[in-house]
């Protein structure tokens, strides 16, 4: 899906944020389990940065296990990865967790940073401008005026804090289909858990049934190894899944949704972040898209012909 140039697309999953520190504090609390990407430099941002901690959870089943450090890529393409991280769309070794940063900011060396206007991190972590040159819409000396928190990506304003096709900077490759973008870092989708660098559903995966590396020689049903008769849904190669909303088996076995799609009603629908909305009551999506509050993903504009789930 091509994100439309309709101004900023800022997503704020339904979380309440608590301000902890300003001006170069550390990135959030370890209690959230969120990753802290680093691309070198950027500790003295030149403009105020923020560290925050989410106090409410909106993630799905993927929070349970194997939470290693992820990766965050700057405009230069360099990254500092965790034990199983990847800077080019591979799994980061982490799972969907509450956001640490306000809308439009990403984690740079553990600090929430506005890469749209920070001259020391302009367009990505560690991408500094020349002395005296201002950063505008993520471009040193930029003249394109994008809404706050959005970058000028080839003439199109995009929010790299939660854009799964440009996660962390305009130059960043898309996240994997099993991932989504949060705080400028690719993480396992909220429904999935990282196991050995792969994003899997520990509630149904027969190789990781109930936890990472827990094999099941029958059918994995709600995280337990059972007979096929115990599955009241659809069995896909030993996995008991609900094809109505499963991102890896959407509508039928093996039909995985693309990186910019979510599954509900048995179909994969394109989605794009909304402009900083806490609820659909304050959002406007372009026709024919609908505003949907999706568990783990937050408020999104979804190009759907059916009613939103829930």
């Amino acid at each position: 899906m091509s994100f439309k140039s309709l101004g900023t697309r800022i997503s704020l999953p339904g979380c309440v944020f608590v301000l902890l520190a300003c001006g170069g504090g550390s990135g959030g609390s370890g209690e959230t389990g969120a990753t802290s990407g680093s691309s070198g430099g950027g500790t003295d941002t030149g403009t105020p940065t923020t560290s925050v901690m989410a106090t409410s959870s909106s993630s799905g089943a993927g929070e349970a296990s194997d939470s290693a450090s992820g990766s965050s890529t700057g405009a230069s393409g360099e990254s500092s990865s965790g034990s199983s991280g990847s800077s080019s769309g591979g799994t980061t070794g982490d799972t969907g967790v509450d956001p640490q940063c306000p809308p439009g900011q990403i984690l740079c060396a553990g600090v929430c940073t506005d890469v749209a206007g920070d001259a020391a991190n302009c367009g990505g972590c560690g991408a500094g401008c020349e002395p005296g040159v201002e950063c505008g819409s993520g471009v040193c000396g930029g003249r394109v005026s994008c809404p706050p928190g959005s970058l000028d990506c080839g003439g199109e304003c995009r929010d790299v804090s939660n854009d799964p096709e440009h996660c962390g900077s305009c130059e960043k490759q898309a996240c994997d289909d099993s991932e989504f973008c949060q705080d400028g870092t690719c993480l396992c989708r909220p429904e999935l858990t990282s196991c050995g660098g792969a994003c899997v559903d520990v509630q149904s995966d027969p190789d990781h049934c109930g936890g990472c590396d827990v094999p099941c020689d029958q059918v994995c049903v709600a995280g337990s190894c059972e007979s096929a008769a115990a599955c009241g849904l659809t069995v896909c190669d030993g996995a008991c899944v609900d094809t109505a909303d499963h991102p890896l088996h959407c509508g039928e076995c093996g039909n995985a949704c693309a990186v910019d799609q979510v599954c509900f009603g048995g179909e994969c629908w394109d989605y794009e972040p909304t402009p900083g909305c806490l609820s659909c009551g304050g959002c406007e999506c372009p026709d024919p898209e609908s505003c949907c509050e999706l568990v783990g993903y937050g408020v999104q504009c979804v190009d759907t012909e059916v009613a939103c789930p829930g």
Side-chain angles (χ1 to χ4, degrees):
M1 165 181 162
S2 175
F3 282 67
K4 305 174 181 64
S5 180
L6 296 170
T8 186
R9 286 302 186 193
I10 301 175
S11 172
L12 181 60
C15 297
V16 179
F17 294 94
V18 178
L19 185 64
L20 293 183
C22 293
S26 61
S29 165
E31 294 177 356
T32 64
T35 60
S36 297
S38 172
S39 297
T43 55
D44 181 6
T45 62
T47 57
T49 56
T50 307
S51 290
V52 294
M53 178 179 70
T55 59
S56 64
S57 173
S58 61
S59 298
E63 297 185 21
S65 64
D66 195 23
S67 181
S69 296
S71 64
S72 175
T73 306
S76 65
E78 297 178 355
S79 68
S80 175
S81 300
S83 59
S84 58
S86 168
S87 62
S88 58
T91 54
T92 62
D94 213 326
T95 189
V97 292
D98 291 336
Q100 285 188 283
C101 298
Q105 296 188 16
I106 69 173
L107 284 170
C108 291
V111 178
C112 293
T113 305
D114 177 14
V115 294
D118 186 349
N121 300 274
C122 188
C125 298
C129 299
E130 294 293 329
V133 177
E134 295 185 354
C135 178
S137 299
V139 179
C140 293
R143 298 181 180 275
V144 175
S145 180
C146 289
S150 296
L151 306 189
D152 172 18
C153 295
E156 188 175 20
C157 296
R158 305 179 77 140
D159 176 11
V160 299
S161 71
N162 59 5
D163 185 340
E165 295 183 300
H166 296 276
C167 188
S169 73
C170 293
E171 291 78 15
K172 176 72 181 289
Q173 296 182 22
C175 299
D176 281 349
D177 289 348
S178 60
E179 299 173 319
F180 76 137
C181 180
Q182 190 172 95
D183 294 334
T185 301
C186 293
L187 302 174
C188 290
R189 289 180 184 252
E191 306 96 329
L192 306 178
T193 297
S194 177
C195 289
C199 297
V200 302
D201 181 5
V202 295
Q203 295 299 301
S204 65
D205 192 314
D207 293 324
H208 309 278
C209 190
C212 294
D213 301 319
V214 181
C216 172
D217 59 2
Q218 298 185 74
V219 176
C220 187
V221 182
S224 297
C225 195
E226 308 283 353
S227 67
C231 178
L233 301 170
T234 302
V235 177
C236 297
D237 293 329
C240 179
V241 300
D242 186 352
T243 57
D245 59 9
H246 201 285
L248 305 181
H249 304 281
C250 188
E252 61 181 349
C253 294
N255 184 42
C257 293
V259 66
D260 62 342
Q261 294 179 326
V262 290
C263 178
F264 60 85
E267 295 186 59
C268 293
W269 302 100
D270 293 351
Y271 80 94
E272 57 184 333
T274 55
C277 293
L278 287 170
S279 68
C280 284
C283 293
E284 292 185 6
C285 293
D287 291 333
E289 298 176 6
S290 300
C291 181
C292 298
E293 297 182 30
L294 306 177
V295 175
Y297 298 85
V299 181
Q300 305 286 347
C301 287
V302 185
D303 189 11
T304 177
E305 300 171 355
V306 300
C308 298

